[in-house]
Amino acid sequence: MRPVSAPFDDLDRKIVTALMANARTSFAEIGAAIGLSATAVKRRVDRLRETGVITGFKATVEPAALGWRTEAYVEVYCEGAAPPRRLAEVVRNHPEITAAMTVTGGADALLHVRARDVGHFEEVLERIRVEPFIRKTISFMVLSHLLPESPEAGANQPAPEPGA
């Protein structure tokens, strides 16, 4: 993550809030709402992107429409102290892992995994478990999203084809 080097004022906060609610909101619409011209909003958005405050724009899609019908969180327990860099290398090799983070507590990492079905999830779990430094995993299947509008409830890539 790049450090924010430019000031982040109330107008920037309003712009970011508007884009987080709907990234397709036009600069003119945002400007009208906060009292700036579309050009001024664009300059600020460009600066926010350059400084790393805004990291990207994505469409979030209903997971089932993309072939993801099973979802779980997986706690990963490592032998010894597995460096986060090594964990990051491993999770990047699995397109089914949509988020991964190191955590406090008993587990070393927490993975958000999507799969086509339970069988596919089991395959993913076995691929994760073969890593030599992974001691054990504990999985929690998602039954429903209590906050369906949260980013975690949507998907941003299609499920891989079986056998891919």
Side-chain angles (χ1 to χ4, degrees):
M1 177 181 276
R2 291 176 281 184
V4 177
S5 58
F8 187 77
D9 63 19
D10 191 50
L11 289 172
D12 292 334
R13 189 171 316 283
K14 289 176 181 177
I15 291 168
V16 168
T17 300
L19 291 172
M20 287 171 45
N22 181 359
R24 293 182 54 102
T25 305
S26 73
F27 295 152
E29 290 172 295
I30 295 170
I34 66 171
L36 290 177
S37 69
T39 304
V41 172
K42 182 190 181 314
R43 277 195 305 268
R44 284 176 174 261
V45 169
D46 288 346
R47 178 180 45 80
L48 292 167
R49 290 184 74 198
E50 289 169 9
T51 58
V53 172
I54 295 175
T55 59
F57 298 93
K58 295 180 180 179
T60 303
V61 179
E62 170 61 36
L66 297 174
W68 301 117
R69 289 179 176 74
T70 300
E71 178 179 10
Y73 286 87
V74 178
E75 289 181 347
V76 176
Y77 296 80
C78 299
E79 290 291 343
R85 182 175 57 248
R86 179 66 182 116
L87 284 166
E89 290 171 9
V90 169
V91 299
R92 281 192 185 99
N93 291 329
H94 302 281
E96 299 89 351
I97 299 174
T98 63
M101 58 284 302
T102 56
V103 294
T104 61
D108 294 294
L110 183 65
L111 311 178
H112 182 211
V113 178
R114 290 195 190 274
R116 291 184 306 273
D117 52 35
V118 174
H120 180 211
F121 173 72
E122 187 174 21
E123 291 171 23
V124 173
L125 200 53
E126 289 307 314
R127 281 190 273 135
I128 293 167
R129 287 178 175 161
V130 299
E131 293 296 331
F133 63 88
I134 293 182
R135 181 171 46 90
K136 76 174 184 174
T137 62
I138 298 176
S139 303
F140 302 89
M141 299 298 286
V142 174
L143 301 176
S144 64
H145 283 270
L146 301 176
L147 300 173
E149 67 282 356
S150 70
E152 293 79 13
N156 58 23
Q157 67 178 359
E161 294 297 322

